[in-house]
Amino acid sequence: MGTQFWWFYDVLIIAVAAGLLYNAAAKGLNKMIFPLVGCILAFAAGYFGSGLLAEPAYNMLFQENITETIQTEYEEMDFVPAVLEQFNRMNPEDTVNQRKLKELLSAESIPETVSDAAGEVVQAMLTRRFAPLPEESVSDLFRQEPEQLRHFLDAEEPADAAAVLEEQYFRPFYLEMVQLAGFLLIAVAILIVVGIISNMAGNLEELMHIRRFSHVLAFPIGIVRAAFALIAITAAVRLIVLSTENMMMLFNEETIAETKIFHYLYDRL
């Protein structure tokens, strides 16, 4: 994937930060009180509100559909023969028969080659029905947490197997997306409300009668606004990267990794 547009992110955040700092210094402290209050409230409400609402929103919007879809696919899948075919395809020098594969799947310690094959089978199943999918593959999950593969294999009912993938694979990924979207929506709503109040208040800021050093005192407010704007931009970029499965020319982690400045913000979000 091409990374030639990496400079876009660095130019964007430098331009936004410089513009907000200049705007604050030009307007002066008297006119920057409401923007400061708006940024503080937007960040606080977005951060805490999205954290509180992410779980209920995920449960309401995604959980049931994900679980039912996985369960339907699981019921229609002949799992062991599919894993056998995938294992032999991935390990042509070490092919096994169905009896041997069942022994390996029931072993206390499942070999990584087997868990990788099982993960590829499940991944193919999910790819047919879901978009976007988590950045981590099912094979990675089964390899890093073999007990989850064991729970998936030992599930007494299709619903139990579906619950393993929903809870361990989908939930963390979708919760992150829901939280990012919630943060942005709540923050924008707060900024709009504060903007309306500011317009209704008219020249209330002028009652402060701060004239001397007003432009200098406004500079720290510009820093706060710039910091909030950069957080919002980074959250929006992260949301786009996740929702498009890292496949867009500009919105992908390979491009972001090439940036000189922006990747520090992205990696810490």
Side-chain angles (χ1 to χ4, degrees), residues 7-23 226 229-230 233 261:
W7 50 266
F8 169 81
Y9 292 103
D10 288 344
V11 171
L12 175 65
I13 63 173
I14 291 173
V16 168
L20 290 174
L21 290 173
Y22 175 80
N23 178 261
L230 296 185
I233 290 171
I261 303 173

Side-chain angles (χ1 to χ4, degrees), residues 128-200:
R128 292 194 300 268
R129 300 300 301 270
F130 294 100
L133 287 172
E135 297 173 293
E136 178 186 52
S137 70
V138 179
S139 295
D140 291 335
L141 172 66
F142 286 167
R143 191 184 309 113
Q144 296 166 10
E145 301 182 43
E147 70 277 6
Q148 301 305 332
L149 174 57
R150 173 64 60 209
H151 293 158
F152 182 80
L153 294 172
D154 293 343
E156 296 182 359
E157 299 290 338
D160 298 330
V164 172
L165 294 178
E166 184 274 319
E167 293 173 6
Q168 302 299 324
Y169 186 64
F170 281 99
R171 180 176 289 265
F173 174 73
Y174 275 82
L175 279 178
E176 182 180 359
M177 286 204 301
V178 170
Q179 192 162 355
L180 289 170
F183 171 80
L184 292 170
L185 290 173
I186 294 172
V188 169
I190 294 295
L191 290 176
I192 291 174
V193 171
V194 172
I196 294 173
I197 295 174
S198 175
N199 290 332
M200 293 174 60

Side-chain angles (χ1 to χ4, degrees), residues 14-263:
I14 291 173
V16 168
L20 290 174
L21 290 173
Y22 175 80
N23 178 261
K27 287 186 174 181
L29 180 63
N30 293 333
K31 295 184 180 297
M32 293 304 298
I33 299 303
F34 275 115
L36 173 63
V37 171
C39 285
I40 294 174
L41 288 178
F43 178 79
Y47 181 80
F48 292 107
S50 63
L52 291 173
L53 296 175
E55 193 86 26
Y58 167 81
N59 292 338
M60 181 176 65
L61 296 174
F62 300 108
Q63 182 185 29
E64 184 177 356
N65 178 62
I66 289 173
T67 302
E68 290 181 352
T69 302
I70 297 173
Q71 183 175 338
T72 300
E73 288 288 326
Y74 186 87
E75 290 171 342
E76 296 175 354
M77 178 194 302
D78 199 352
F79 187 71
V80 173
V83 174
L84 176 63
E85 181 180 351
Q86 183 65 31
F87 178 89
N88 289 334
R89 186 183 301 118
M90 295 172 63
N91 304 276
E93 74 290 344
D94 188 28
T95 57
V96 298
N97 55 33
Q98 188 162 313
R99 181 184 62 80
K100 179 62 176 178
L101 179 64
K102 288 182 178 180
E103 292 177 359
L104 294 173
L105 287 171
S106 60
E108 183 176 348
S109 178
I110 299 175
E112 281 194 3
T113 52
V114 176
S115 63
D116 286 347
E120 288 296 324
V121 169
V122 176
Q123 188 77 47
M125 175 192 75
L126 299 180
T127 301
R128 292 194 300 268
R129 300 300 301 270
F130 294 100
L133 287 172
E135 297 173 293
E136 178 186 52
S137 70
V138 179
S139 295
D140 291 335
L141 172 66
F142 286 167
R143 191 184 309 113
Q144 296 166 10
E145 301 182 43
E147 70 277 6
Q148 301 305 332
L149 174 57
R150 173 64 60 209
H151 293 158
F152 182 80
L153 294 172
D154 293 343
E156 296 182 359
E157 299 290 338
D160 298 330
V164 172
L165 294 178
E166 184 274 319
E167 293 173 6
Q168 302 299 324
Y169 186 64
F170 281 99
R171 180 176 289 265
F173 174 73
Y174 275 82
L175 279 178
E176 182 180 359
M177 286 204 301
V178 170
Q179 192 162 355
L180 289 170
F183 171 80
L184 292 170
L185 290 173
I186 294 172
V188 169
I190 294 295
L191 290 176
I192 291 174
V193 171
V194 172
I196 294 173
I197 295 174
S198 175
N199 290 332
M200 293 174 60
N203 293 323
L204 183 62
E205 302 100 325
E206 296 298 332
L207 296 177
M208 298 175 62
H209 298 300
I210 297 177
R211 297 289 183 270
R212 199 174 183 185
F213 304 119
S214 174
H215 297 287
V216 175
L217 293 173
F219 193 79
I221 297 178
I223 295 176
V224 173
R225 293 183 70 201
F228 172 76
L230 296 185
I231 291 172
I233 290 171
T234 306
V237 170
R238 176 66 175 166
L239 179 59
I240 294 172
V241 169
L242 292 176
S243 61
T244 58
E245 298 190 69
N246 204 38
M247 295 300 293
M248 292 185 69
M249 178 177 291
L250 182 60
F251 297 99
N252 63 80
E253 294 190 344
E254 290 82 359
T255 298
I256 293 170
E258 293 293 323
T259 61
K260 308 303 180 185
I261 303 173
F262 182 74
H263 72 91

